[in-house]
Amino acid sequence: MSKSDQLRIDAQELAQAWSRTLPSVLDASDQAKVWPDEAESNVLRVHITTAGRSLYSFDFKCTYVDSREVRVELVDVERDNHAVDERTDIIQTLVDDYVRHLHECAQQLHALTTR
């Protein structure tokens, strides 16, 4: 990351902006929590709970590579507070959708992260 393209926003402010923006790109019935990583100032942690009876929850690590690019990694998937096999088709489909939504959220916040 070049010095000129570093993330220049307070991690707490960025997490709050994500918290406001993420619901607009998720399904209305999904719930999300966003908070800054305690160890890395360019990382946000995102917990998404699916709606309905499936009771899936997903944890993601969103790392700002620079002021524009976000790398999204799946950390964990649980169903009703129990670990599940992340390789199933339904889980992979949900993960792909959420990763896309997380990138959409980051894109909507470019004006904030590139200032």
Side-chain angles (χ1 to χ4, degrees), residues 53-72:
R53 293 181 295 213
S54 64
L55 298 175
Y56 285 115
S57 64
F58 297 82
D59 290 308
F60 293 95
K61 177 182 180 183
C62 300
T63 305
Y64 272 86
V65 178
D66 56 32
S67 66
R68 292 181 181 271
E69 184 185 347
V70 175
R71 183 176 61 241
V72 178

Side-chain angles (χ1 to χ4, degrees), residues 2 13 24 39 42 45 61 68-69 76 81 87-88:
S2 72
E13 183 182 346
S24 71
N42 65 322
R45 298 292 178 159
K61 177 182 180 183
R68 292 181 181 271
E69 184 185 347
D76 188 36
N81 296 319
R87 298 167 298 194
T88 65

Side-chain angles (χ1 to χ4, degrees), residues 9-89:
I9 182 172
D10 174 71
Q12 191 64 48
E13 183 182 346
L14 183 59
Q16 289 170 353
W18 270 70
S19 293
R20 287 189 304 271
T21 306
L22 192 52
S24 71
V25 297
L26 292 176
D27 290 338
S29 51
D30 289 340
Q31 297 199 345
K33 285 190 266 184
V34 181
W35 65 96
D37 186 89
E38 292 179 13
E40 301 173 85
S41 62
N42 65 322
V43 173
L44 294 175
R45 298 292 178 159
V46 180
H47 178 83
I48 299 173
T49 305
T50 61
R53 293 181 295 213
S54 64
L55 298 175
Y56 285 115
S57 64
F58 297 82
D59 290 308
F60 293 95
K61 177 182 180 183
C62 300
T63 305
Y64 272 86
V65 178
D66 56 32
S67 66
R68 292 181 181 271
E69 184 185 347
V70 175
R71 183 176 61 241
V72 178
E73 300 168 70
L74 176 67
V75 176
D76 188 36
V77 180
E78 293 184 348
R79 182 175 189 175
D80 202 16
N81 296 319
H82 295 89
V84 296
D85 183 356
E86 299 164 7
R87 298 167 298 194
T88 65
D89 287 346

